Structure formats: structure tokens, C-alpha cells
Amino acid sequence: MLAGKRKKLLEGGKVLKKFSGKKLLGLKYEPLFDFLFNKEVKEAENAFSVLPADFVSDEEGTGVVHIAPMYGDDDFQLGKKFNLPLIHTLDLEGRFKKMVSDWSGLFAKEADPLIIKKLEEKGLLYKEEKVLHSYPFCWRCDSPLLYYALECWYIAVSKIKKQLIANNKKIRWVPGHIKEGRFGKWLLQARDWAFSRNRFWGAPLPIWQCQSKKGENKGCGNVKVVGSFKELEKIVKRKIKDPHRPYIDEIEFNCPKCGGKMKRTPEVFDCWFESGSMPYAQWHYPFENKRFLEKTFPADFIAEGLDQTRGWFYTLHVIATILTLKDIGLGKNRPAFLNVIVNGLVLDEKGRKLSKKLGNYPEPKEIFDRYGADALRYFLLTSTPIGQDYRFSEKGVQDTWRRTLLTLWNSYLFFETYKEKGFSPKKRIIPKNVLNRWIISRLEQLKQEVIFEMERYEITKAARKINSFLEDLSNWYIRRSRDYFKKPKQKREKDEFSQTLYYLLKEFLKISAPFLPFISEYLYLELIEKKEPQSVHLSDFPKPKKNLIDGKLEEKMRLAREIAAKALAKRAKAGIKVRQPLLELQINKPELKKEKELLNILKEELNVKKITFGRTLKLNTKITPELKEEGLLRELSRQIQQLRKKARLKPKDKIFVYYFASAQLKKPLEKNKKLFVKEAQIKDIIFEKKAKKDLLIEKEVSICEKKIWIGLKKTKN
Ligand SMILES: [Zn+2]
Ligand SMILES: [Zn+2]
């Protein structure tokens, strides 16, 4: 008998008759083996008949499939539906039981060839062939596994489904889509929870059952769930010395209903039941800390991976829902947690799982050694929106280190290098300069934004704000305020900038502490005074000073920076370096007309003599002889600065500069010597070559395609 689609199995045979599969339903047949025909199996005849099922394919095998109700979910459901005898022919180790007399004691898979041989002997084998199909194996020892129907203890989760769904409404999920998505959908189809496990190790179920005969679960049906050691001790009238297996299994008592023997059911808890019990079990509730838990339940916040929607998040939710169906002190109808952050998995650059076999990840310790733990933490926080899988790459961590940690570090170094001599922080700062007013406004704004995002548990968004502030601080504030630190026109000016940068750094470190805990702590300790909290992690998260936020100024500064970026692009396109002064930039933002300070910043940033207003952004790229001369002096100044750096001179070190060049490159310098010497902070410039041994450093540079020789010598003082 074959399904029509499997005709090729006939191998030359003849079709005698065609009919619909329906005709076979209810038909009894003679089994291949008669092991089941014994006294122990009731209604064995019932076991061998043709039944309808929708999980059978007419494209495999013969199109008719043999089922074994105790060894597969589909089979079991069908067996139950048609009242088949539910008996095991295999024991718990997968070996044939005594009733299968030919192979009793043999592991099912090992018996395969013997069974085939037997069929052949009996003339019942039509054809033998290998069929490729997927099969479960033990993940630890690779041995083949069997599906095995077992009696289990269940929690009737399906009965509280409505409440599970209602309690989920009270949880804030980040990312939000998990609430009604992955988790919500899982709740919709919640099934009863088989929470018992048939193994030795584990927390024993505190359930005793009445059994009239030894080793049989057929007592009067009395079940006792023991609620505490105390209760158990009261029942058995003695101390419980060890609540673990096997000792707990020895505890028996008389059934109060029929006088039979109450024995502990042999199963242990599914470890997920214990995970879900964490909020109570960790405090030994309700036996201890009852008040405390009642006051603090539910948890404000938990975090775990996406895979836990069916694991920990779920079991916490189920148990909390059950415990709050009535108010026993924990409140009524409550979830176990109010906020949850769900993160994705860490994958490699190409989106593959990290595996030892592939070797597609570096040792975390090496990453810590190379870039610090902060870099990895901040990379994970900012590279990926919460909930998506992380694509880990060392390059990404390195970029984070450079962009964020190094920038912060250099900002601190800048302060340490250029702060006032004998700097002492003031309690209040009143910024006057537009740069100071702007960056403080940005800082106070940052506080506000980070608090806003953190209160919504949007940590990716909060973390990214940190970096964009650092970018403003380093690439605009510090860059544009260098001259105020290095060559201030008045002491008051330098004082204001030093105070501002100090305030910025210290307040910033308090904001960055949760995101960059190590570097924040290190720099904080470098900056603080004795009277302050002795760890950044002990100081309060700073409150925004709203009166220092100036949204209009921030907007105008944004405009100015936008103009700067465009004008610099025009310079680059024309191939003119920023060091070469230009005459004029025309801009098209009339709202900046009155902003003298901002226009000055723009002039300095873009190195133009004046800014005018017109309909478009236009950069005058004509270089007059005067401008060219000025450009040459700037270039020289830069070269000298680089030599200073190379010679590891400190800003306070004074130098003599020796200079040798053609007349064409000498004249402009001679003409402007006085101003140049002052601007470049040089003691004097001498127009001659000097022997290398008398110099700190020397170099031949090329300016305007001509060679110039420069030598540096430190002054005595
Ligand atoms: Zn195994
Ligand atoms: Zn009983």
C-alpha cells in the first residue's frame, strides 16, 4: 500500500487498485511484532488501527506513518485523542523494557539493525534504505536523544493569561516594540508551564502524594504541598536536617485521608522556576524581610538579553502575576518589574555568532588592555540601538576610544596645560564671553537631555549625547578659545576661560560617570578639591541650571558653525590652506548681523579679514601680495610651533629662532619681526645659520616651494 505520489517505490510492481486514504480509516491491522499482547497492556487490540492525522506527508516514505504515542508530541496528542494505550516500551535510559523480550535491556538505537534483521527473517521486510532527516542529539555528549512522554507537574498558566496580559501593560519595555511584539505575542499563546524536571540534581518539589502500594502513584489521590520546613517538621514531628535529595526523599508520613503512605514526588524544579522566584527567594521571603520586600516590590529596573522573553522575563512575570492575584502584601495584579532594558546579542562584524571554533573575536582582556574597559562599554552603548544585535569589531572600539576617550583626555590635558598659574576654582562663574556662554548653555542642556533620556531608560540616546557634547567642547570651544588661554589680552579673560573649562569638565564627568565610569573617576579625582565627594560615583547627578541655557545663542552658534564648515569646504576646493589669510567672506544669514562676537569667531576660524552680508555664501579667494606675505608668516609660525613640540618644549619655555632663507623669504620676516616675535612667543629671531651642536633642534622646511632652514635654541632663564 502506497501513497499515489510515492509510486516510484514500486520498482516494477503493478498497481492493483487506487482508492482514497479515507477508505483506510478505522481499519485494524496485524502488528509486525506481538510484544504488546500481554496481560499488562489493556486494550492492546485498540493500538493497531489506521487513524487520520494532518502531520503526515504523502511525499515521504509510503505516505502512511507508524506512530508511537509515548515518543513524540504529535504521536502523543493523536494517541490521547483516539484512546490508544499509553505505555512505555522503553525505560528512562532508552533501553527496551522486559516486555520487548527479544531486545530487552538494549538501547533503542543499537537495536535498529537487529530489528531489521528480524523483519527480514520473518519475511516482512519490503525494502531497506537510508533516509536523511534531522534528529536531536545531546549538546554535551552528542548521543542520540529520544522524545519521551513523562508525567509532569504543571502550573495552569492558561488560566491566568488575561492577567498576564493586563500586568504586561504596566511594564515599560525598551525597546518599546517588545511589549506587544515578542513578549506580548508570547503571552497571547501562553501554555501551561511544565515546571517539574525528572533528574536528580535540583531543588526538590515540596509535594507529597498518597500511594497505597509501594512505588505506585495510585493512592487515594491526596496531595500535600508543604509550605515550609517548619510545616514539614510539624507533620513528621522531627527536625529536618538536610532538605536536599536523597535525604528529603526518605521523609514519609501517613495520609490523613486514607491512612496510606505519603511520599515525595521524585521530581525537582525546573531551574527557570527558581529564576522567576528570585525577587522573593533572594530575601527568603516570606520567612524573613517580609516588610522590606512588600515595600520595595516590584523591582524598578532589570536588564537582560532578548532571548529572555521566553526565559527569565517570562518566569518572573508568571510568578509575580500569580502571587499578586490576591493581595498577600505584595499588592494586587502587579508585574515583577516596572522597567526593562532588553539588549541584543553580541555578534561579529559579519553578523555571525561569536564562537571559539570560528575564533571571530578577541579576548576581552586584550581589548581592555588596549583601549580600556570604558571604550568597550561606550562602544556597546552607542554603536547599536538597544534591542538590536551588536556587531562587534575591534575597529569600532578603537574608533570609540579615539573619538570619545582620547577627546575627553585631551580636553583635560588642555586645561591642565593652559589653566592660570595658581588656579583655584570659584564657587560661581559668570561667563561673559560668547564662547563661554555658549558651551555652558550646551552643558546645562546636556544635563537636561541626559536626564530626560535616562528617565525613559533610553540609554543609547543618552550615551550618544555625551559624545556630541565632547565634539562641541573639543572641536569648537577649545579650538576657538585657544588664544584666550595661550595669549590672553587681559588676565580677567584667562581667568574666565579657566574657570569655565574647570566647571565644564567637572560637571561633565558627573554626567559621563555612568557611561564612562573609569576615565570619569580618574579625571574627577585629578580635578576635585578636598571638600568634595571623594568619588565621582558618590557625587549627585548634576541638576541643570536652566537660567544658563540660551537656546537662541545655541541656534546662532549652530548657524555660525554651519557657515564655517561650508566656507572651509570652499577653501579646500580652491586649494587654499586655512593659514593663508583671505580678504572677505560674504554670508547669507542676516540674523548674525548684530552678533559681533560670533562674527569675530568666524573671522578667526576662517582666517578672513572681514565678513559681509549678501544673498549667497561667497569666499573671495584672491590672494594679494600682502595676504601672501601674511600667509608666509603664519606658515613660519606653525613650523616653529611644530619644532617646539618635537623638541618637547613646554609652553612657558622661551626660545631663540635662527633663520636662513633666500632674500625673498627673508624680507617679509625682517619687515614684521617685532609683531612676529610677539605673536609666536619668541625671545628673538636671528637671521643666520648655526651649528647643530649649539641648537636644540633644526630643520629644513619647504615653504612656497622654496627651502628655509630653521633652528631653535632655548633661552637660559
Ligand atoms: Zn549527553
Ligand atoms: Zn490517602
Side-chain angles (χ1 to χ4, degrees):
M1 192 175 59
L2 271 181
K5 286 183 187 162
R6 302 292 296 155
K7 235 194 255 173
K8 66 170 183 180
L9 282 179
L10 274 177
E11 288 174 356
K14 228 169 81 189
V15 177
L16 296 175
K17 199 178 171 191
K18 278 189 184 175
F19 51 87
S20 155
K22 257 187 204 158
K23 282 235 161 101
L24 296 171
L25 294 185
L27 215 62
K28 302 240 164 175
Y29 66 90
E30 194 183 317
L32 296 171
F33 299 104
D34 55 5
F35 302 121
L36 285 191
F37 295 111
N38 66 46
K39 269 184 227 157
E40 273 181 56
V41 186
K42 281 160 201 148
E43 299 169 45
E45 294 82 18
N46 204 14
F48 308 107
S49 60
V50 181
L51 305 170
D54 56 10
F55 56 84
V56 187
S57 159
D58 61 354
E59 303 198 349
E60 283 171 76
T62 60
V64 183
V65 82
H66 172 254
I67 66 158
M70 300 306 264
Y71 307 102
D73 190 30
D74 284 334
D75 301 30
F76 185 78
Q77 299 304 337
L78 195 70
K80 249 172 69 175
K81 192 170 158 192
F82 289 96
N83 245 330
L84 301 187
L86 298 174
I87 51 147
H88 273 296
T89 48
L90 296 169
D91 65 14
L92 278 168
E93 285 175 18
R95 298 174 192 282
F96 279 110
K97 286 185 164 181
K98 264 202 186 120
M99 70 171 96
V100 186
S101 46
D102 288 18
W103 305 297
S104 79
L106 210 59
F107 181 59
K109 284 272 133 195
E110 282 166 18
D112 279 352
L114 301 178
I115 294 170
I116 291 165
K117 206 175 147 219
K118 187 83 175 190
L119 287 171
E120 208 176 355
E121 280 169 21
K122 289 169 98 173
L124 291 171
L125 190 70
Y126 171 69
K127 193 183 174 200
E128 184 190 353
E129 64 173 15
K130 283 219 157 76
V131 179
L132 208 66
H133 64 118
S134 64
Y135 194 88
F137 285 87
C138 173
W139 62 275
R140 267 178 113 139
C141 67
D142 281 341
S143 63
L145 300 173
L146 299 166
Y147 289 101
Y148 196 99
L150 281 172
E151 278 205 327
C152 249
W153 292 90
Y154 281 86
I155 292 174
V157 173
S158 50
K159 283 190 188 163
I160 54 159
K161 201 152 90 178
K162 264 192 188 159
Q163 199 53 52
L164 287 176
I165 292 164
N167 287 355
N168 183 33
K169 301 250 184 285
K170 299 169 186 172
I171 301 172
R172 182 209 308 263
W173 289 84
V174 178
H177 61 78
I178 292 179
K179 184 180 196 140
E180 302 301 336
R182 213 174 142 116
F183 194 68
K185 282 189 185 133
W186 180 247
L187 293 184
L188 278 178
Q189 46 125 24
R191 296 204 290 177
D192 291 341
W193 176 10
F195 71 97
S196 65
R197 289 291 176 270
N198 298 75
R199 50 170 66 178
F200 184 83
W201 301 106
L205 297 189
I207 301 172
W208 272 258
Q209 284 176 295
C210 174
Q211 30 210 293
S212 52
K213 269 190 256 164
K214 238 189 172 179
E216 253 185 66
N217 286 350
K218 281 184 222 145
C220 72
N222 187 22
V223 172
K224 173 72 188 166
V225 181
V226 178
S228 66
F229 291 132
K230 219 169 156 187
E231 188 185 351
L232 186 59
E233 284 174 346
K234 214 171 145 191
I235 293 170
V236 299
K237 296 187 184 72
R238 62 184 160 96
K239 277 245 160 265
I240 306 296
K241 278 186 200 135
D242 192 331
H244 301 95
R245 297 186 77 185
Y247 313 105
I248 194 78
D249 299 334
E250 290 160 11
I251 294 174
E252 295 174 358
F253 50 89
N254 290 335
C255 172
K257 286 196 178 149
C258 73
K261 194 139 273 180
M262 297 289 281
K263 272 191 81 142
R264 198 187 73 80
T265 190
E267 296 89 349
V268 296
F269 277 105
D270 171 8
C271 62
W272 286 107
F273 188 93
E274 292 166 285
S275 312
S277 308
M278 176 278 281
Y280 330 97
Q282 68 175 337
W283 296 110
H284 197 208
Y285 174 89
F287 308 107
E288 287 177 79
N289 306 304
K290 194 163 185 294
R291 277 275 169 76
F292 172 78
L293 189 69
E294 286 170 358
K295 240 168 53 193
T296 54
F297 183 84
D300 282 326
F301 163 66
I302 61 167
E304 252 293 354
L306 192 59
D307 46 327
Q308 299 299 335
T309 43
R310 283 152 200 210
W312 191 46
F313 300 147
Y314 179 66
T315 58
L316 279 172
H317 193 62
V318 168
I319 293 175
T321 298
I322 293 169
L323 289 181
T324 59
L325 284 173
K326 277 189 242 156
D327 187 356
I328 56 166
L330 297 172
K332 194 166 153 62
N333 296 333
R334 303 180 85 175
F337 47 90
L338 298 174
N339 299 282
V340 53
I341 290 181
V342 186
N343 56 268
L345 297 172
V346 181
L347 306 174
D348 76 358
E349 268 168 293
K350 293 172 191 149
R352 297 174 302 180
K353 277 195 174 178
L354 303 186
S355 89
K356 265 195 184 143
K357 239 184 230 165
L358 290 172
N360 55 348
Y361 62 92
E363 282 297 318
K365 196 181 169 297
E366 285 171 23
I367 295 291
F368 296 157
D369 289 346
R370 254 172 254 157
Y371 313 104
D374 279 348
L376 178 60
R377 174 190 294 256
Y378 197 70
F379 166 76
L380 292 174
L381 275 171
T382 52
S383 65
T384 313
I386 280 289
Q388 291 178 20
D389 287 340
Y390 301 92
R391 296 283 177 106
F392 177 85
S393 76
E394 185 164 345
K395 174 88 182 12
V397 178
Q398 190 185 33
D399 285 348
T400 302
W401 171 77
R402 213 189 46 240
R403 261 203 343 258
T404 305
L405 282 105
L406 208 56
T407 304
L408 175 56
W409 184 260
N410 284 335
S411 304
Y412 161 74
L413 273 190
F414 180 84
F415 170 75
E416 276 302 313
T417 314
Y418 295 110
K419 70 183 178 189
E420 267 181 302
K421 258 186 196 163
F423 173 83
S424 121
K426 283 183 186 151
K427 260 198 187 136
R428 279 188 66 200
I429 51 157
I430 307 144
K432 289 206 173 79
N433 184 289
V434 70
L435 277 169
N436 290 332
R437 281 189 286 123
W438 169 72
I439 194 69
I440 284 182
S441 174
R442 281 285 294 116
L443 177 84
E444 303 303 334
Q445 184 72 36
L446 173 73
K447 291 179 189 171
Q448 214 170 32
E449 288 171 356
V450 169
I451 289 171
F452 174 74
E453 297 297 356
M454 291 294 269
E455 278 178 349
R456 304 192 304 146
Y457 291 79
E458 292 288 354
I459 51 174
T460 311
K461 286 177 187 155
R464 284 178 179 172
K465 303 241 177 244
I466 301 256
N467 198 58
S468 56
F469 176 81
L470 270 182
E471 205 268 333
D472 283 352
L473 177 71
S474 157
N475 280 349
W476 195 249
Y477 175 75
I478 289 182
R479 197 150 65 82
R480 290 292 14 118
S481 62
R482 262 170 209 282
D483 284 354
Y484 294 105
F485 281 96
K486 289 185 184 174
K487 335 172 216 179
K489 293 199 177 79
Q490 303 150 328
K491 192 188 167 301
R492 191 195 56 75
E493 215 169 46
K494 177 149 182 163
D495 182 55
E496 183 187 317
F497 275 86
S498 300
Q499 293 293 343
T500 302
L501 186 51
Y502 178 80
Y503 173 76
L504 284 174
L505 285 171
K506 215 171 65 182
E507 292 289 284
F508 175 80
L509 293 171
K510 291 180 199 166
I511 304 169
S512 65
F515 308 93
L516 302 162
F518 295 105
I519 192 173
S520 299
E521 175 75 340
Y522 182 88
L523 295 180
Y524 174 84
L525 293 179
E526 292 291 308
L527 285 170
I528 51 161
E529 298 171 282
K530 274 202 178 126
K531 57 180 190 258
E532 292 174 90
Q534 292 303 298
S535 163
V536 73
H537 304 297
L538 291 176
S539 53
D540 287 336
F541 201 85
K543 288 195 178 72
K545 292 176 184 156
K546 289 194 181 141
N547 59 322
L548 294 176
I549 297 178
D550 183 343
K552 277 184 190 152
L553 173 59
E554 284 189 40
E555 176 54 24
K556 280 175 189 155
M557 191 64 92
R558 200 189 58 74
L559 263 184
R561 291 184 72 182
E562 201 180 285
I563 291 166
K566 281 184 186 156
L568 287 176
K570 280 187 191 287
R571 260 184 181 275
K573 211 176 151 198
I576 306 169
K577 286 179 181 162
V578 182
R579 284 187 295 282
Q580 173 60 57
L582 290 174
L583 210 56
E584 181 192 352
L585 172 72
Q586 177 191 292
I587 64 173
N588 56 346
K589 301 285 177 200
E591 54 269 54
L592 294 182
K593 243 176 195 166
K594 283 181 187 164
E595 305 295 330
K596 220 180 130 198
E597 281 181 298
L598 288 182
L599 294 177
N600 276 334
I601 290 173
L602 267 182
K603 279 201 275 186
E604 284 164 20
E605 168 75 5
L606 299 169
N607 199 8
V608 294
K609 297 288 173 195
K610 63 177 177 186
I611 291 178
T612 55
F613 290 83
R615 284 215 187 131
T616 52
L617 185 91
K618 219 159 76 189
L619 185 69
N620 184 347
T621 51
K622 196 177 167 219
I623 301 169
T624 62
E626 291 81 25
L627 288 173
K628 191 165 184 178
E629 202 173 286
E630 219 183 309
L632 168 71
L633 295 179
R634 289 240 189 172
E635 178 61 29
L636 272 176
S637 171
R638 191 183 70 95
Q639 293 286 358
I640 291 168
Q641 286 310 318
Q642 281 193 345
L643 282 178
R644 284 185 71 115
K645 251 190 203 166
K646 218 173 156 192
R648 293 174 181 276
L649 285 169
K650 288 187 183 116
K652 63 174 176 16
D653 295 328
K654 287 264 152 62
I655 50 164
F656 290 115
V657 172
Y658 293 85
Y659 182 84
F660 187 79
S662 67
Q664 201 193 341
L665 290 179
K666 192 175 151 189
K667 234 194 224 151
L669 194 53
E670 279 177 327
K671 205 167 80 189
N672 298 290
K673 185 176 156 183
K674 222 173 159 186
L675 188 69
F676 183 81
V677 161
K678 198 183 156 214
E679 286 273 306
Q681 290 180 299
I682 297 166
K683 187 102 184 175
D684 198 6
I685 188 157
I686 301 127
F687 294 95
E688 60 176 50
K689 230 178 182 168
K690 208 170 171 69
K692 199 177 174 182
K693 64 176 171 53
D694 297 325
L695 293 169
L696 192 62
I697 192 166
E698 62 161 3
K699 196 187 176 190
E700 199 171 62
V701 297
S702 165
I703 294 175
C704 305
E705 285 151 20
K706 291 200 174 75
K707 293 257 157 72
I708 290 175
W709 175 91
I710 303 172
L712 259 53
K713 194 181 155 186
K714 221 171 134 179
T715 60
K716 290 256 160 59
N717 59 357

